[in-house]
Amino acid sequence: MSLSMLYAENIGSMKQQNHHHDQQQEDKLKQNKRYKQSVAGIFNPFRKQMNSTQQRMPQNRFRGLIIYLLLPMALLYIVYSNLLFRKGPALSDVSNKIEAPPFNHSSNISLPIESMKESHVVEAPPRGYLPYDTRLEHIAFGIASSSNLWEIRKAYIKAWWRPNESRGVVWLDKKVLTKKGEALPEIRVSEDTSRFKYSNRVGSRSALRITRVVSETLKLGMKDIRWFVMGDDDTAFIVDNVVRVLSKYDHTQFYYIGSASESHIQNILFSYSMAFGGGGFAISYPLAKELSKMQDKCIQRYPALYGSDDRIQACMAELGVPLTRELGFHQYDVYGNILGLLGAHPVTPLVSLHHLDVVYPIFPSMRRAQAISHLLDAAKLDSASLMQQSICYDSTRYWSISVSWGFVVQILRGVMSPRELEMPSRTFYSWHKRNDYTAYAFNTRPVVRHPCQKPFLFYMYKVRIDLEKNQTIGLYYRHRTFNQRCNWKMDSPEKLNFVVVVKKIDDDRWLKAPRRDCCRILPKIKNSTMILTVGNCREGEISELQPKKML
């Protein structure tokens, strides 16, 4: 019987005794005597530990029962607390200091330095960890091209192709003249597809042969291939980032990896579930084998489709394989200047750029292929960070600064929130050549018209590496255009000629949770040059404008 039950029974017995007649008083005394004896028996183990003075003191029934109830609860609490604290880390394992930013002028530290010193350092994951050890040699590129555009577009392929490292084939409709020593993949002619039906009124029958690029590349029997990556001849791949993205996935499973179009209308006309072929897509080796078995019959079932990529997706639907989205594959179904898109690239590796013949050269005053080669010069030093955005504020001059590493630095007068800066500005037109903000499958912001809010652009001129400090040093020059006079009484970025961006190399950035980099500003401007440092955000560091009194 529990103590609570014993206590309840004794109280009930006392109440009954109080209502008995005086003639039963003797029985009541006897019962009380027995009760005292029972209580004395319960507390005998504890009484042995008490001194003689305490043993002689009269015991109150209720006090003894309460003590007997509370004592086990206190013991349980002590035991439980000891077990709980044993699970926590030892205090000696927790760092109570954090390195202060190099320049107090940085405007994106949200906490005072004194309070930051009590913060804990976030431990980074182990270096060099990848779920699958996919390397460039495990990837076969299938590039779709045509003979009438070959002389123009082969320059794009030369810009990103790595002779003796990359593997793959360019598939053409007929033979073309080639030169010895050109840094190009093997060139082959596609099989005849005249036997297949094609009934689309506005498309081209070349879609049929391009649909079979992956299957024909598979038939070549290349050894030790895990992935087939398809793209167009006007597509540039950042091959190190292709490897990074595909290393996340099990190449022994069925994977169909790519991205949709930037255009709502294009996605509606074709499919949101389709990987657009110009931006490139990847198919795992076992899925490519299954596709090759059924593809010819599948093609015959869809003669009215327009292109090659929608036929691929139709066959994937029959195989039951959905699209795995990777936002770094860029179809770029837009026209004009894609500065707004590249300057606010999503926090994901840049994998491909398409429609290089349609959009403006990404660097002003350069030819299109030359501009791509110039961009890839930065990618050779830190491909993982290419186009990655960082945002900071100059608190003394009230400037908003956005860095797209390896591409451009934008400086605006006034304060624009990170929520706006990470949103692409509409420097481009939709696929139907309209300035329509509802035409895109993502949020955009209008290009500012006020002369004081127009951004000053500093394009990447060159980047070098400091091996001793494991960092890159990039020089960005100001792109000079006509600017209307601004009447704001504040410092203007027009007094700058260059911006220097110093950044630690971070090959493992995509092994951690995605996060935008932080940038910090050197307080003084020397020789018309501003110096920024870019890197992983420290604990407690955010992008915000700090009042001067907090600096």
Side-chain angles (χ1 to χ4, degrees), residues 352-459:
S352 66
L353 300 168
H354 182 227
H355 277 149
L356 300 178
D357 271 354
V358 173
V359 299
Y360 295 169
I362 61 174
F363 289 99
S365 305
M366 288 187 183
R367 298 186 303 275
R368 287 178 169 87
Q370 181 188 10
I372 293 299
S373 296
H374 185 59
L375 177 70
L376 294 180
D377 286 340
K380 293 174 185 176
L381 303 183
D382 192 356
S383 58
S385 299
L386 190 65
M387 291 292 177
Q388 294 308 302
Q389 186 185 26
S390 54
I391 295 171
C392 54
Y393 299 91
D394 189 325
S395 297
T396 61
R397 304 175 186 91
Y398 280 86
W399 292 348
S400 302
I401 301 173
S402 172
V403 180
S404 179
W405 191 87
F407 176 49
V408 71
V409 176
Q410 302 182 65
I411 303 179
L412 301 86
R413 283 174 285 211
V415 180
M416 183 175 287
S417 69
R419 186 175 184 270
E420 295 172 288
L421 289 174
E422 69 179 9
M423 195 181 299
S425 59
R426 294 193 291 273
T427 60
F428 46 89
Y429 296 95
S430 72
W431 191 240
H432 299 277
K433 298 185 179 180
R434 296 173 184 169
N435 192 9
D436 178 11
Y437 74 95
T438 65
Y440 310 110
F442 50 88
N443 296 116
T444 61
R445 58 183 171 90
V447 176
V448 293
R449 301 300 180 188
H450 194 287
C452 295
Q453 293 180 309
K454 186 177 180 181
F456 288 78
L457 306 177
F458 297 79
Y459 284 98

Side-chain angles (χ1 to χ4, degrees), residues 257-277:
I257 302 172
S259 187
S261 172
E262 295 76 17
S263 167
H264 267 314
I265 296 178
Q266 291 291 92
N267 290 325
I268 291 170
L269 290 176
F270 295 97
S271 174
Y272 275 95
S273 301
M274 182 185 87
F276 278 68

